[in-house]
Amino acid sequence: MASSDGFRRMVTMREVAEAADVSPMTVSNTFRYPGRVQEDTRQRVEDVARQLGYVPNMSAGHLAAGKSRLIGSTIPSVKNSSFYQYISGLEEAADAAGKKLVFMLTESPEQEFEAVRALIGLRVSGLILIGNEHTQATVGLLRRSGIPLVETWLLHDPIDKAIGYDIAAAVRAACRHHIKAGRRRIGLVSHDDPASRRFRERPPVFRAEMRAAGLRDDLIVDVAEPHGFEAGSEALDSLLSLDSELDAVICPTDIVAAGIIFECNRRNIAVPQKIGIIGWGDYEIASAIAPKLTTVKPNPKEIGSGAVELLFRQENQLPGQSVDTGFDLIERETAL
């Protein structure tokens, strides 16, 4: 039965048993000891469970949702240095709240669905996911579970609650920094991943800023891998093929930016004199590379710790609540 906030209570074993015309014990055995159940009966129970969105309780203690000490979280990549600080924030806040984190790596929407299903099966007390690019099946599962949910690294359109920073404002800040420095042939390196809103939001804002300044808005190239140095070399080559007088670049990550710096060094292109470069993330390499990288710095640790706090905040629990942790443009040597 749906509640006023759009969430449904979790489907129970008894409801599955009634719909499949079997006993609750048969439902339990179907998922815990499938060899004890006749094949046709087991198939009927599984079909009904799938239709109703039932997730069997796989926690050893059979704890009810909301009473478990576990928080479930998914991570789409272990290559992103910002996620290290984000995880650190999650863990510190979870420890302070007397909770323990269960992490699952999800590099595809299908893996995320399986991870969410497994975490719900563990009857975690809350879920913290990155982004909101979920499949319809995952959204349905999340809504039916009734488990508190926080989606991170975003501010808009959460299923329940969200915490992150204003990506559009960060893109505008990077564009205007280059323009103020007198750059007039500015390129954007993007990552056209349909499952990553964090990257997809950037090109439209970039185009709008370039048009407002009377500059070309089509100097945009995509990289398949935003966390590899080679992507920087490929991106620079592609941008220079679009405009040989390119004089500034905004990158999707600091790793791609570092790759562009390496390629500029190889080609004897002076940075920032010839090409100004702005990265994204403020990874450790940003302050270690020469020249030091100007970059957009989110606040990943604050996103992580804030997500845990928001998850269990008792007041103002209406869906749609979001918290903005802000960002900074760290000015170093590659874009003065």
Side-chain angles (χ1 to χ4, degrees), residues 65-66 124-128 145-150 160-161 311-312 317:
V124 294
S125 58
L127 285 166
I128 299 175
S145 75
I147 294 175
L149 168 67
V150 174
D160 189 0
K161 294 179 283 291
L311 193 64
F312 299 109
Q317 285 291 305

Side-chain angles (χ1 to χ4, degrees), residues 95-306:
D95 285 345
K99 304 286 185 177
K100 293 299 179 183
L101 285 163
V102 178
F103 289 105
M104 300 192 77
L105 181 64
T106 58
E107 296 184 324
S108 71
E110 294 73 25
Q111 287 181 347
E112 185 190 55
F113 173 80
E114 293 301 330
V116 167
R117 192 172 190 275
L119 292 168
I120 292 174
L122 290 172
R123 295 306 189 259
V124 294
S125 58
L127 285 166
I128 299 175
L129 308 180
I130 291 179
N132 62 355
E133 300 85 8
H134 319 298
T135 64
Q136 290 186 349
T138 300
V139 172
L141 200 59
L142 291 166
R143 290 189 177 278
R144 284 191 296 269
S145 75
I147 294 175
L149 168 67
V150 174
E151 291 161 297
T152 60
W153 297 87
L154 63 93
L155 292 178
H156 308 296
D157 306 319
I159 295 173
D160 189 0
K161 294 179 283 291
I163 184 168
Y165 67 104
D166 190 336
I167 293 173
V171 175
R172 285 193 287 269
C175 290
R176 293 172 187 181
H177 184 85
H178 275 324
I179 293 169
K180 184 178 179 181
R183 310 288 180 174
R184 291 297 178 265
R185 298 171 182 268
I186 305 170
L188 175 73
V189 183
S190 185
H191 176 49
D192 188 17
D193 182 354
S196 185
R197 182 173 178 174
R198 302 189 312 281
F199 295 110
R200 293 199 322 272
E201 285 187 355
R202 301 179 195 183
V205 181
F206 172 82
R207 292 190 186 96
E209 286 295 305
M210 293 302 106
R211 288 195 296 267
L215 305 177
R216 286 185 63 175
D217 68 349
D218 62 341
L219 296 179
I220 301 175
V221 298
D222 290 323
V223 292
E225 174 51 72
H227 303 296
F229 294 122
E230 289 185 4
S233 174
E234 296 167 1
L236 181 62
D237 190 61
S238 297
L239 284 170
L240 288 172
S241 70
L242 292 175
D243 189 337
S244 62
E245 298 300 317
L246 179 80
D247 63 6
V249 184
I250 299 170
C251 301
T253 65
D254 287 346
I255 299 300
V256 173
I260 290 180
I261 293 173
F262 296 150
E263 184 63 15
C264 284
N265 289 340
R266 191 182 71 80
R267 298 186 184 208
N268 293 316
I269 299 174
V271 177
Q273 292 85 352
K274 180 65 175 178
I275 295 181
I277 301 171
I278 295 179
W280 203 292
D282 197 31
Y283 301 173
E284 186 175 355
I285 194 173
S287 57
I289 197 170
K292 297 182 187 300
L293 182 63
T294 295
T295 186
V296 173
K297 180 186 181 298
N299 294 298
K301 192 166 185 178
E302 288 77 4
I303 293 175
S305 60

